[in-house]
Amino acid sequence: MFYDNEKLVAVFPASLHGDILISHGGLTFGGILFNTKVRADTALDVFDSLVTHARLIGCSKIIYKAIPYIFASQGSQEDLYALTRIGAVLVRRDLSSVIHLDNRPKLSKGRKWLIARATKIGLQVDTSDDWEGFHTLLASALQRHGASPIHSAAELRLLQSRFPHNIELKVIRHEGQLVAGAVLFRFGYVTHTQYLATNNEGKEIGALDALIEMCIKESEARGEKFFSFGISTENAGKTLNSGLINQKENFGARGLVLDFYEINIT
């Protein structure tokens, strides 16, 4: 926590991994959170103080994950300037996908066809608290790719109970069976799809496509600016999952980078 004349001006959520300070080691992105009244000079002072503190506690380096501009309420990027000023080096770049809701490209023909099919069947989106059912669906979907959910069903339920206005579970059922679901994180003018899942039946009838499109339309109706899908890169950003990002681009999403910088203390 950084103070200027006893007034809190910035917070740095971080985790210590040996002698490396990471913002944050358990999160997709991190960075310094500034008071809305902070000016550029103060931001530079905060970074100087951070480096001094890291040196004092025996750190050899800081890994700084910059906050994507869509999550900044005022579009503040003083941190990127400060990083260059203190000699930080870009060491990793992931590619995320975001829809600018006020200037959204048209849906692809294939996506339109699937959504129309789901509409014809009469599929509807509901807000749900069936975290166990969704988690089973998600685990099955991820297992096909040799992966597993980061959160357990109990953890998802706990998170939603702590942030009831920011976390939602949206689902589609067909003939009583859960066929598609999405966990949405809402933050300011952004909705982020933390998890998306469907099964073979859901794919065949276009359930996930319809679910995503309805969630996007709901974000537009709420007056939001961005709809975020998250990254499509693997192997520390070096490999692009073309199939995954193509699916997002078919909804009108375009690229947003998530940058990692290394500050060498020694």
Side-chain angles (χ1 to χ4, degrees), residues 203-223:
K203 286 182 179 180
E204 185 177 337
I205 61 179
L208 184 59
D209 301 89
L211 174 59
I212 292 172
E213 181 62 18
M214 292 177 191
C215 289
I216 293 170
K217 292 295 186 185
E218 184 177 324
S219 294
E220 290 178 334
R222 291 161 64 102

Side-chain angles (χ1 to χ4, degrees), residues 170-185:
K170 297 286 190 180
V171 302
I172 286 182
R173 297 182 184 274
H174 183 235
E175 297 179 349
Q177 298 299 313
L178 183 63
V179 294
V183 177
L184 304 177
F185 283 11

Side-chain angles (χ1 to χ4, degrees), residues 26-152:
L27 302 174
T28 304
F29 55 85
I32 292 178
L33 307 176
F34 289 102
N35 182 301
T36 57
K37 295 182 180 180
V38 167
R39 305 289 184 91
D41 286 339
T42 302
L44 296 180
D45 290 341
V46 166
F47 270 86
D48 289 341
S49 298
L50 172 62
V51 172
T52 298
H53 177 73
R55 184 180 293 114
L56 286 173
I57 63 174
C59 293
S60 64
K61 66 179 66 173
I62 301 171
I63 301 297
Y64 185 93
K65 304 177 185 179
I67 301 173
Y69 71 89
I70 64 170
F71 295 105
S73 60
Q74 295 181 316
S76 172
Q77 292 190 319
E78 286 85 356
D79 61 337
L80 299 185
Y81 173 70
L83 287 166
T84 303
R85 180 176 172 270
I86 61 177
V89 177
L90 179 66
V91 293
R92 173 177 169 179
R93 173 168 278 172
D94 285 311
L95 186 62
S96 184
S97 297
V98 174
I99 298 174
H100 289 244
L101 295 173
D102 61 350
N103 189 26
R104 181 187 178 191
K106 293 181 180 180
L107 286 168
S108 69
K109 290 183 179 179
R111 209 58 53 186
K112 284 182 178 179
W113 185 85
L114 284 168
I115 292 169
R117 184 179 186 185
T119 302
K120 187 176 181 179
I121 295 173
L123 299 183
Q124 294 184 334
V125 177
D126 294 311
T127 302
S128 174
D129 64 352
D130 184 11
W131 293 102
E132 290 73 22
F134 171 75
H135 194 271
T136 299
L137 180 71
L138 176 65
S140 178
L142 290 176
Q143 189 176 30
R144 295 195 292 267
H145 303 284
S148 58
I150 296 173
H151 300 93
S152 67

Side-chain angles (χ1 to χ4, degrees), residues 95-97 232 240-250 253 255:
L95 186 62
S96 184
S97 297
S232 299
L240 179 67
N241 186 327
S242 298
L244 181 58
I245 199 167
N246 181 257
Q247 180 186 26
K248 300 168 184 178
E249 289 170 340
N250 285 339

